[in-house]
């Protein structure tokens, strides 16, 4: 009799244990999301597409889709769990400005300072944001949701997270994953568009070497940049303030230790926390929905619009420039703020047609302008939708 009770006790405990395993709680949605996570890891590790972003996000997707019994304070959406505490920096928009601090400390604005008209290309590429905003409205998203989705066109992950945390927290996972996916796919998306909208003669245009920029110009740029942009769009202050502050730390040359910390340990730590928690927030129960599919489609449209607008703007702009001052339209793609990947694409495509034509430095101008432009666009959207 005692043996029967003991066996029954063991079986009951074994059954209870099995009920707590991920196998017992797994759904088809979890499996789909785990496949997404593995795909992101494949892109990041094997293809080396944005590995610093896609590896944390891909692994975060795996973490977020291990099924468990609710109430154990394990999941990212369960109050009191470790992941929930780490996620605080995402939902309150803390991490993106810290990323911008690091970007500022890493960025050299010399190409833009030496040729300020390149700023116009960065501005033109932001057309993708407002085009996607219109498309999202037409698909039935609310104005605030459409604004958060539209920022994907800026190809700037931190800005997309910052704006969606303010305007559409429920869609943040899908928006962030979409933004980072398209940033990683810059080498795939942009070249066909660049070739389609340019002639061989235009691809061979040589641009004047950028003039050298003085130290005082480099120091004044972040100060004046902050004042000009935030006086016009104060709602962009968290992103623009940190971006220009990080750049001043670099260019002043008297705060090298702070600049090294901003572009090193701080940006590394925040990138890990941001990527991991954004990935973990894509739980199948909240992520797999028709809205997420719509966001991915609009994201692709916005990216195509942004790249096309940048290239076409240069072609139109060239009509007003004298011979010798014309701009190679292949740098128009770099108006999106995927720094420096889109600038590298300008260089790669340009050298397919002329090995001695180096476009990288010229492309860095609109590329860094795109960072400023997407932050300003986020501020504009936040000011009238927030």
């Amino acid at each position: 009799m005692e043996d029967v009770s003991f066996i029954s006790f063991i079986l009951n405990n074994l059954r209870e244990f099995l009920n707590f395993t991920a196998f017992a709680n797994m759904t088809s949605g979890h499996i789909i999301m785990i496949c997404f996570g593995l795909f992101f890891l494949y892109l990041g590790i094997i293809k080396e597409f944005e590995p610093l972003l896609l590896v944390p996000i891909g692994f975060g997707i795996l973490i977020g889709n291990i099924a468990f019994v609710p109430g154990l304070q394990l999941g990212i959406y369960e109050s009191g769990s470790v992941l929930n505490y780490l996620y605080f920096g995402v939902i309150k928009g803390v991490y993106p400005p810290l990323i911008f601090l690091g970007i500022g400390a890493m960025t050299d604005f010399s190409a833009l300072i030496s040729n300020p008209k390149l700023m116009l290309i960065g501005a033109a590429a932001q057309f993708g944001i407002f085009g996607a905003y219109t498309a999202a409205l037409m698909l039935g998203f609310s104005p605030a949701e459409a604004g958060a989705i539209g920022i994907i066109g800026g190809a700037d992950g931190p800005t997309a997270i910052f704006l969606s945390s303010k305007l559409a927290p429920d869609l943040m996972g899908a928006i962030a994953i979409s933004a980072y996916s398209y940033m990683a796919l810059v080498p795939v998306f942009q070249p066909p568009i660049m070739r389609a909208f340019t002639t061989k003669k235009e691809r061979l245009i040589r641009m004047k070497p950028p003039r050298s920029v003085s130290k005082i110009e480099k120091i004044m740029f972040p100060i004046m940049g902050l004042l000009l942009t935030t006086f016009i769009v104060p709602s962009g202050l968290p992103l623009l303030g940190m971006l220009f502050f990080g750049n001043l730390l670099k260019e002043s040359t008297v705060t090298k230790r702070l600049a090294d910390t901003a572009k090193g340990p701080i940006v590394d730590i925040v990138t890990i926390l941001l990527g991991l928690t954004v990935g973990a927030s894509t739980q199948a129960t909240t992520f797999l929905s028709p809205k997420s599919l719509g966001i991915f489609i609009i994201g692709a449209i916005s990216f195509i619009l942004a790249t096309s607008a940048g290239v076409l703007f240069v072609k139109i702009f060239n009509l007003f420039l004298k011979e010798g001052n014309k701009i190679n339209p292949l740098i128009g793609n770099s108006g999106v703020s995927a720094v420096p990947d889109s600038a590298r694409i300008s260089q790669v495509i340009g050298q397919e047609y002329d090995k001695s034509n180096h476009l990288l430095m010229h492309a860095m101008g609109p590329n860094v302008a795109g960072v400023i432009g997407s932050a300003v666009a986020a501020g504009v959207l936040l000011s009238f939708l927030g």
Side-chain angles (χ1 to χ4, degrees), residues 29-41:
H30 290 115
I31 294 171
I32 291 171
M33 290 309 301
I34 286 174
C35 290
F36 267 118
L38 293 174
F39 180 62
F40 271 51
L41 291 176

Side-chain angles (χ1 to χ4, degrees), residues 273-324:
L273 296 177
L274 182 71
L276 196 69
T277 50
V278 164
S281 70
T282 60
Q283 291 182 353
T285 49
T286 59
F287 188 82
L288 291 179
S289 67
K291 279 191 171 183
S292 296
L293 180 62
I295 289 168
F296 272 89
I297 294 172
I298 296 170
I301 294 171
S302 68
F303 207 73
I304 293 168
L305 283 175
T307 304
S308 306
V311 174
L312 292 173
F313 174 80
V314 176
K315 287 168 68 80
I316 296 169
F317 197 34
N318 274 343
L319 298 176
F320 303 94
L321 297 176
K322 294 178 181 175
E323 202 62 42

Side-chain angles (χ1 to χ4, degrees), residues 174-193:
I175 291 171
I177 295 295
S178 180
Y180 280 118
S181 298
Y182 293 124
M183 284 170 63
L185 293 174
V186 158
V188 178
F189 261 93
Q190 291 199 321
I193 300 170

Side-chain angles (χ1 to χ4, degrees), residues 126-199:
Q126 306 311 314
F127 177 76
I129 293 176
F130 296 98
Y133 171 68
T134 305
L137 284 177
M138 292 171 67
L139 285 179
F141 287 95
S142 70
E145 290 175 337
I149 294 167
I151 203 69
I152 297 173
D156 191 322
T159 304
I161 292 171
F162 178 78
L163 192 64
S164 56
S165 71
K166 305 293 182 189
L167 297 180
D170 294 343
L171 302 180
M172 184 163 43
I175 291 171
I177 295 295
S178 180
Y180 280 118
S181 298
Y182 293 124
M183 284 170 63
L185 293 174
V186 158
V188 178
F189 261 93
Q190 291 199 321
I193 300 170
M194 295 160 68
R195 292 191 187 99
F197 287 118
T198 54
T199 64

Side-chain angles (χ1 to χ4, degrees), residues 38-51 54 181 184-185:
L38 293 174
F39 180 62
F40 271 51
L41 291 176
Y42 167 78
L43 290 179
I45 297 172
I46 306 299
K47 292 292 187 181
E48 297 188 19
F49 289 169
E50 297 279 357
L54 293 191
S181 298
L185 293 174

Side-chain angles (χ1 to χ4, degrees), residues 101-130:
L101 175 70
I103 292 173
M106 286 186 273
T107 302
D108 184 349
F109 286 101
S110 297
L112 185 61
I113 298 170
S114 68
N115 193 357
K117 62 177 176 286
L118 297 179
M119 174 72 85
L120 297 174
I121 303 173
Q126 306 311 314
F127 177 76
I129 293 176
F130 296 98

